[in-house]
PDB file of all heavy atoms in Angstrom:
ATOM      1  N   LYS G 129      32.918  33.343  79.073  1.00  0.00           N
ATOM      2  CA  LYS G 129      33.295  34.325  80.095  1.00  0.00           C
ATOM      3  C   LYS G 129      32.728  33.940  81.466  1.00  0.00           C
ATOM      4  O   LYS G 129      31.693  33.260  81.550  1.00  0.00           O
ATOM      5  CB  LYS G 129      32.769  35.713  79.695  1.00  0.00           C
ATOM      6  CG  LYS G 129      33.422  36.267  78.471  1.00  0.00           C
ATOM      7  CD  LYS G 129      32.860  37.661  78.143  1.00  0.00           C
ATOM      8  CE  LYS G 129      33.367  38.142  76.835  1.00  0.00           C
ATOM      9  NZ  LYS G 129      34.566  38.919  76.914  1.00  0.00           N
ATOM     10  N   ASP G 130      33.381  34.433  82.485  1.00  0.00           N
ATOM     11  CA  ASP G 130      32.939  34.287  83.880  1.00  0.00           C
ATOM     12  C   ASP G 130      32.524  32.820  84.172  1.00  0.00           C
ATOM     13  O   ASP G 130      31.464  32.582  84.735  1.00  0.00           O
ATOM     14  CB  ASP G 130      31.759  35.229  84.160  1.00  0.00           C
ATOM     15  CG  ASP G 130      32.135  36.677  83.985  1.00  0.00           C
ATOM     16  OD1 ASP G 130      33.326  37.007  84.259  1.00  0.00           O
ATOM     17  OD2 ASP G 130      31.296  37.482  83.601  1.00  0.00           O
ATOM     18  N   PHE G 131      33.404  31.930  83.863  1.00  0.00           N
ATOM     19  CA  PHE G 131      33.078  30.494  83.973  1.00  0.00           C
ATOM     20  C   PHE G 131      33.491  29.908  85.328  1.00  0.00           C
ATOM     21  O   PHE G 131      32.773  29.037  85.859  1.00  0.00           O
ATOM     22  CB  PHE G 131      33.796  29.735  82.871  1.00  0.00           C
ATOM     23  CG  PHE G 131      33.334  28.323  82.706  1.00  0.00           C
ATOM     24  CD1 PHE G 131      32.178  28.024  82.023  1.00  0.00           C
ATOM     25  CD2 PHE G 131      34.075  27.256  83.237  1.00  0.00           C
ATOM     26  CE1 PHE G 131      31.740  26.724  81.868  1.00  0.00           C
ATOM     27  CE2 PHE G 131      33.643  25.955  83.098  1.00  0.00           C
ATOM     28  CZ  PHE G 131      32.480  25.664  82.414  1.00  0.00           C
ATOM     29  N   THR G 132      34.609  30.364  85.886  1.00  0.00           N
ATOM     30  CA  THR G 132      35.059  29.783  87.157  1.00  0.00           C
ATOM     31  C   THR G 132      35.718  30.848  88.026  1.00  0.00           C
ATOM     32  O   THR G 132      36.307  31.800  87.535  1.00  0.00           O
ATOM     33  CB  THR G 132      36.032  28.612  86.885  1.00  0.00           C
ATOM     34  OG1 THR G 132      36.260  27.898  88.104  1.00  0.00           O
ATOM     35  CG2 THR G 132      37.360  29.084  86.344  1.00  0.00           C
ATOM     36  N   TYR G 133      35.542  30.662  89.324  1.00  0.00           N
ATOM     37  CA  TYR G 133      36.077  31.594  90.321  1.00  0.00           C
ATOM     38  C   TYR G 133      37.426  31.073  90.858  1.00  0.00           C
ATOM     39  O   TYR G 133      37.555  29.904  91.197  1.00  0.00           O
ATOM     40  CB  TYR G 133      35.093  31.728  91.475  1.00  0.00           C
ATOM     41  CG  TYR G 133      35.571  32.641  92.587  1.00  0.00           C
ATOM     42  CD1 TYR G 133      35.336  33.995  92.548  1.00  0.00           C
ATOM     43  CD2 TYR G 133      36.241  32.127  93.681  1.00  0.00           C
ATOM     44  CE1 TYR G 133      35.766  34.852  93.568  1.00  0.00           C
ATOM     45  CE2 TYR G 133      36.713  32.943  94.694  1.00  0.00           C
ATOM     46  CZ  TYR G 133      36.454  34.306  94.619  1.00  0.00           C
ATOM     47  OH  TYR G 133      36.882  35.125  95.619  1.00  0.00           O
ATOM     48  N   TRP G 134      38.424  31.993  90.933  1.00  0.00           N
ATOM     49  CA  TRP G 134      39.701  31.661  91.520  1.00  0.00           C
ATOM     50  C   TRP G 134      40.448  32.940  91.800  1.00  0.00           C
ATOM     51  O   TRP G 134      40.374  33.882  90.992  1.00  0.00           O
ATOM     52  CB  TRP G 134      40.500  30.745  90.593  1.00  0.00           C
ATOM     53  CG  TRP G 134      41.758  30.201  91.168  1.00  0.00           C
ATOM     54  CD1 TRP G 134      41.884  29.432  92.311  1.00  0.00           C
ATOM     55  CD2 TRP G 134      43.072  30.342  90.637  1.00  0.00           C
ATOM     56  NE1 TRP G 134      43.228  29.111  92.498  1.00  0.00           N
ATOM     57  CE2 TRP G 134      43.959  29.654  91.495  1.00  0.00           C
ATOM     58  CE3 TRP G 134      43.581  31.002  89.534  1.00  0.00           C
ATOM     59  CZ2 TRP G 134      45.332  29.599  91.276  1.00  0.00           C
ATOM     60  CZ3 TRP G 134      44.952  30.935  89.289  1.00  0.00           C
ATOM     61  CH2 TRP G 134      45.807  30.255  90.166  1.00  0.00           C
ATOM     62  N   ARG G 135      41.152  32.992  92.898  1.00  0.00           N
ATOM     63  CA  ARG G 135      41.946  34.165  93.267  1.00  0.00           C
ATOM     64  C   ARG G 135      41.145  35.464  93.152  1.00  0.00           C
ATOM     65  O   ARG G 135      41.560  36.423  92.515  1.00  0.00           O
ATOM     66  CB  ARG G 135      43.235  34.243  92.456  1.00  0.00           C
ATOM     67  CG  ARG G 135      44.186  33.124  92.813  1.00  0.00           C
ATOM     68  CD  ARG G 135      45.562  33.372  92.226  1.00  0.00           C
ATOM     69  NE  ARG G 135      46.469  32.369  92.766  1.00  0.00           N
ATOM     70  CZ  ARG G 135      47.673  32.138  92.310  1.00  0.00           C
ATOM     71  NH1 ARG G 135      48.135  32.867  91.313  1.00  0.00           N
ATOM     72  NH2 ARG G 135      48.426  31.214  92.813  1.00  0.00           N
ATOM     73  N   ASP G 136      39.989  35.461  93.771  1.00  0.00           N
ATOM     74  CA  ASP G 136      39.121  36.636  93.915  1.00  0.00           C
ATOM     75  C   ASP G 136      38.599  37.226  92.633  1.00  0.00           C
ATOM     76  O   ASP G 136      38.293  38.428  92.565  1.00  0.00           O
ATOM     77  CB  ASP G 136      39.874  37.733  94.696  1.00  0.00           C
ATOM     78  CG  ASP G 136      40.252  37.278  96.096  1.00  0.00           C
ATOM     79  OD1 ASP G 136      39.428  36.584  96.716  1.00  0.00           O
ATOM     80  OD2 ASP G 136      41.358  37.584  96.582  1.00  0.00           O
ATOM     81  N   ARG G 137      38.479  36.409  91.602  1.00  0.00           N
ATOM     82  CA  ARG G 137      37.836  36.906  90.379  1.00  0.00           C
ATOM     83  C   ARG G 137      37.327  35.733  89.539  1.00  0.00           C
ATOM     84  O   ARG G 137      37.636  34.595  89.809  1.00  0.00           O
ATOM     85  CB  ARG G 137      38.797  37.755  89.565  1.00  0.00           C
ATOM     86  CG  ARG G 137      40.028  37.029  89.024  1.00  0.00           C
ATOM     87  CD  ARG G 137      40.835  37.888  88.102  1.00  0.00           C
ATOM     88  NE  ARG G 137      40.378  37.689  86.735  1.00  0.00           N
ATOM     89  CZ  ARG G 137      41.154  37.664  85.688  1.00  0.00           C
ATOM     90  NH1 ARG G 137      42.464  37.882  85.799  1.00  0.00           N
ATOM     91  NH2 ARG G 137      40.694  37.470  84.467  1.00  0.00           N
ATOM     92  N   MET G 138      36.547  36.089  88.537  1.00  0.00           N
ATOM     93  CA  MET G 138      36.025  35.101  87.596  1.00  0.00           C
ATOM     94  C   MET G 138      36.955  35.015  86.387  1.00  0.00           C
ATOM     95  O   MET G 138      37.529  36.010  85.954  1.00  0.00           O
ATOM     96  CB  MET G 138      34.618  35.468  87.138  1.00  0.00           C
ATOM     97  CG  MET G 138      33.596  35.486  88.250  1.00  0.00           C
ATOM     98  SD  MET G 138      33.410  33.890  89.081  1.00  0.00           S
ATOM     99  CE  MET G 138      32.573  32.920  87.838  1.00  0.00           C
ATOM    100  N   TRP G 139      37.085  33.788  85.833  1.00  0.00           N
ATOM    101  CA  TRP G 139      37.968  33.524  84.711  1.00  0.00           C
ATOM    102  C   TRP G 139      37.200  32.852  83.584  1.00  0.00           C
ATOM    103  O   TRP G 139      36.169  32.234  83.795  1.00  0.00           O
ATOM    104  CB  TRP G 139      39.082  32.593  85.144  1.00  0.00           C
ATOM    105  CG  TRP G 139      39.974  33.160  86.210  1.00  0.00           C
ATOM    106  CD1 TRP G 139      39.733  33.187  87.548  1.00  0.00           C
ATOM    107  CD2 TRP G 139      41.266  33.734  86.011  1.00  0.00           C
ATOM    108  NE1 TRP G 139      40.771  33.771  88.216  1.00  0.00           N
ATOM    109  CE2 TRP G 139      41.743  34.135  87.298  1.00  0.00           C
ATOM    110  CE3 TRP G 139      42.069  33.999  84.921  1.00  0.00           C
ATOM    111  CZ2 TRP G 139      42.963  34.726  87.506  1.00  0.00           C
ATOM    112  CZ3 TRP G 139      43.296  34.598  85.115  1.00  0.00           C
ATOM    113  CH2 TRP G 139      43.728  34.983  86.379  1.00  0.00           C
ATOM    114  N   GLN G 140      37.755  32.929  82.392  1.00  0.00           N
ATOM    115  CA  GLN G 140      37.138  32.310  81.213  1.00  0.00           C
ATOM    116  C   GLN G 140      37.521  30.832  81.090  1.00  0.00           C
ATOM    117  O   GLN G 140      38.574  30.434  81.557  1.00  0.00           O
ATOM    118  CB  GLN G 140      37.650  33.021  79.930  1.00  0.00           C
ATOM    119  CG  GLN G 140      37.254  34.480  79.842  1.00  0.00           C
ATOM    120  CD  GLN G 140      37.781  35.050  78.549  1.00  0.00           C
ATOM    121  OE1 GLN G 140      37.156  34.899  77.504  1.00  0.00           O
ATOM    122  NE2 GLN G 140      38.915  35.715  78.636  1.00  0.00           N
ATOM    123  N   ASP G 141      36.635  30.093  80.451  1.00  0.00           N
ATOM    124  CA  ASP G 141      36.966  28.722  80.034  1.00  0.00           C
ATOM    125  C   ASP G 141      37.294  28.776  78.557  1.00  0.00           C
ATOM    126  O   ASP G 141      36.479  29.282  77.764  1.00  0.00           O
ATOM    127  CB  ASP G 141      35.760  27.796  80.285  1.00  0.00           C
ATOM    128  CG  ASP G 141      36.120  26.335  80.128  1.00  0.00           C
ATOM    129  OD1 ASP G 141      37.222  25.939  80.543  1.00  0.00           O
ATOM    130  OD2 ASP G 141      35.282  25.560  79.621  1.00  0.00           O
ATOM    131  N   ILE G 142      38.469  28.315  78.197  1.00  0.00           N
ATOM    132  CA  ILE G 142      38.885  28.328  76.802  1.00  0.00           C
ATOM    133  C   ILE G 142      38.539  26.952  76.235  1.00  0.00           C
ATOM    134  O   ILE G 142      38.958  25.921  76.766  1.00  0.00           O
ATOM    135  CB  ILE G 142      40.387  28.600  76.671  1.00  0.00           C
ATOM    136  CG1 ILE G 142      40.716  29.986  77.264  1.00  0.00           C
ATOM    137  CG2 ILE G 142      40.837  28.483  75.196  1.00  0.00           C
ATOM    138  CD1 ILE G 142      42.204  30.277  77.340  1.00  0.00           C
ATOM    139  N   ARG G 143      37.751  26.939  75.168  1.00  0.00           N
ATOM    140  CA  ARG G 143      37.369  25.676  74.523  1.00  0.00           C
ATOM    141  C   ARG G 143      38.326  25.457  73.339  1.00  0.00           C
ATOM    142  O   ARG G 143      38.584  26.365  72.565  1.00  0.00           O
ATOM    143  CB  ARG G 143      35.924  25.707  74.067  1.00  0.00           C
ATOM    144  CG  ARG G 143      34.931  25.817  75.253  1.00  0.00           C
ATOM    145  CD  ARG G 143      35.065  24.613  76.209  1.00  0.00           C
ATOM    146  NE  ARG G 143      34.248  24.732  77.372  1.00  0.00           N
ATOM    147  CZ  ARG G 143      33.028  24.244  77.495  1.00  0.00           C
ATOM    148  NH1 ARG G 143      32.463  23.614  76.470  1.00  0.00           N
ATOM    149  NH2 ARG G 143      32.376  24.372  78.620  1.00  0.00           N
ATOM    150  N   MET G 144      38.796  24.201  73.232  1.00  0.00           N
ATOM    151  CA  MET G 144      39.744  23.865  72.215  1.00  0.00           C
ATOM    152  C   MET G 144      39.298  22.576  71.497  1.00  0.00           C
ATOM    153  O   MET G 144      38.520  21.801  72.080  1.00  0.00           O
ATOM    154  CB  MET G 144      41.146  23.642  72.822  1.00  0.00           C
ATOM    155  CG  MET G 144      41.652  24.866  73.587  1.00  0.00           C
ATOM    156  SD  MET G 144      43.286  24.619  74.280  1.00  0.00           S
ATOM    157  CE  MET G 144      44.294  25.071  72.847  1.00  0.00           C
ATOM    158  N   GLU G 145      39.776  22.383  70.277  1.00  0.00           N
ATOM    159  CA  GLU G 145      39.415  21.180  69.527  1.00  0.00           C
ATOM    160  C   GLU G 145      40.620  20.686  68.755  1.00  0.00           C
ATOM    161  O   GLU G 145      41.585  21.423  68.550  1.00  0.00           O
ATOM    162  CB  GLU G 145      38.283  21.444  68.560  1.00  0.00           C
ATOM    163  CG  GLU G 145      38.676  22.290  67.348  1.00  0.00           C
ATOM    164  CD  GLU G 145      37.579  22.521  66.341  1.00  0.00           C
ATOM    165  OE1 GLU G 145      36.450  21.975  66.488  1.00  0.00           O
ATOM    166  OE2 GLU G 145      37.837  23.228  65.348  1.00  0.00           O
ATOM    167  N   LYS G 146      40.509  19.416  68.376  1.00  0.00           N
ATOM    168  CA  LYS G 146      41.519  18.810  67.508  1.00  0.00           C
ATOM    169  C   LYS G 146      40.828  17.740  66.684  1.00  0.00           C
ATOM    170  O   LYS G 146      40.022  16.970  67.218  1.00  0.00           O
ATOM    171  CB  LYS G 146      42.618  18.178  68.352  1.00  0.00           C
ATOM    172  CG  LYS G 146      43.718  17.513  67.512  1.00  0.00           C
ATOM    173  CD  LYS G 146      44.816  16.967  68.404  1.00  0.00           C
ATOM    174  CE  LYS G 146      45.932  16.352  67.585  1.00  0.00           C
ATOM    175  NZ  LYS G 146      47.026  15.833  68.466  1.00  0.00           N
ATOM    176  N   TYR G 147      41.113  17.730  65.393  1.00  0.00           N
ATOM    177  CA  TYR G 147      40.641  16.662  64.521  1.00  0.00           C
ATOM    178  C   TYR G 147      41.711  15.620  64.375  1.00  0.00           C
ATOM    179  O   TYR G 147      42.891  15.958  64.157  1.00  0.00           O
ATOM    180  CB  TYR G 147      40.222  17.237  63.150  1.00  0.00           C
ATOM    181  CG  TYR G 147      38.892  17.952  63.202  1.00  0.00           C
ATOM    182  CD1 TYR G 147      38.824  19.307  63.481  1.00  0.00           C
ATOM    183  CD2 TYR G 147      37.694  17.267  63.006  1.00  0.00           C
ATOM    184  CE1 TYR G 147      37.625  19.964  63.555  1.00  0.00           C
ATOM    185  CE2 TYR G 147      36.478  17.939  63.084  1.00  0.00           C
ATOM    186  CZ  TYR G 147      36.461  19.268  63.360  1.00  0.00           C
ATOM    187  OH  TYR G 147      35.243  19.934  63.438  1.00  0.00           O
ATOM    188  N   LEU G 148      41.342  14.386  64.546  1.00  0.00           N
ATOM    189  CA  LEU G 148      42.281  13.290  64.480  1.00  0.00           C
ATOM    190  C   LEU G 148      42.156  12.558  63.145  1.00  0.00           C
ATOM    191  O   LEU G 148      41.081  12.512  62.551  1.00  0.00           O
ATOM    192  CB  LEU G 148      42.010  12.277  65.592  1.00  0.00           C
ATOM    193  CG  LEU G 148      41.991  12.835  67.019  1.00  0.00           C
ATOM    194  CD1 LEU G 148      41.470  11.803  67.979  1.00  0.00           C
ATOM    195  CD2 LEU G 148      43.395  13.286  67.405  1.00  0.00           C
ATOM    196  N   SER G 149      43.251  11.977  62.696  1.00  0.00           N
ATOM    197  CA  SER G 149      43.215  11.127  61.507  1.00  0.00           C
ATOM    198  C   SER G 149      43.699   9.751  61.934  1.00  0.00           C
ATOM    199  O   SER G 149      44.346   9.583  62.950  1.00  0.00           O
ATOM    200  CB  SER G 149      44.091  11.704  60.401  1.00  0.00           C
ATOM    201  OG  SER G 149      45.440  11.709  60.804  1.00  0.00           O
ATOM    202  N   ALA G 150      43.403   8.757  61.104  1.00  0.00           N
ATOM    203  CA  ALA G 150      43.860   7.407  61.437  1.00  0.00           C
ATOM    204  C   ALA G 150      45.354   7.359  61.540  1.00  0.00           C
ATOM    205  O   ALA G 150      45.923   6.591  62.323  1.00  0.00           O
ATOM    206  CB  ALA G 150      43.361   6.432  60.351  1.00  0.00           C
ATOM    207  N   SER G 151      46.088   8.219  60.799  1.00  0.00           N
ATOM    208  CA  SER G 151      47.543   8.228  60.888  1.00  0.00           C
ATOM    209  C   SER G 151      48.006   8.769  62.248  1.00  0.00           C
ATOM    210  O   SER G 151      49.133   8.498  62.656  1.00  0.00           O
ATOM    211  CB  SER G 151      48.152   9.038  59.764  1.00  0.00           C
ATOM    212  OG  SER G 151      47.756  10.387  59.866  1.00  0.00           O
ATOM    213  N   SER G 152      47.148   9.532  62.951  1.00  0.00           N
ATOM    214  CA  SER G 152      47.517  10.023  64.309  1.00  0.00           C
ATOM    215  C   SER G 152      47.787   8.865  65.248  1.00  0.00           C
ATOM    216  O   SER G 152      48.606   8.978  66.137  1.00  0.00           O
ATOM    217  CB  SER G 152      46.394  10.858  64.893  1.00  0.00           C
ATOM    218  OG  SER G 152      46.087  11.974  64.082  1.00  0.00           O
TER     219      SER G 152
END
């Protein structure tokens, strides 16, 4: 929460992940 400021308010940073396989 409250990670970055833009357009007169604070915004969240969404953290994402992905697991890779050798076939990827």
Side-chain angles (χ1 to χ4, degrees):
K129 293 181 188 268
D130 299 329
F131 191 80
T132 193
Y133 178 88
W134 187 59
R135 292 192 172 168
D136 299 321
R137 64 173 269 217
M138 296 301 289
W139 297 81
Q140 297 180 82
D141 191 37
I142 300 172
R143 296 298 175 93
M144 303 180 86
E145 72 177 357
K146 180 177 182 179
Y147 284 90
L148 305 171
S149 64
S151 64
S152 299

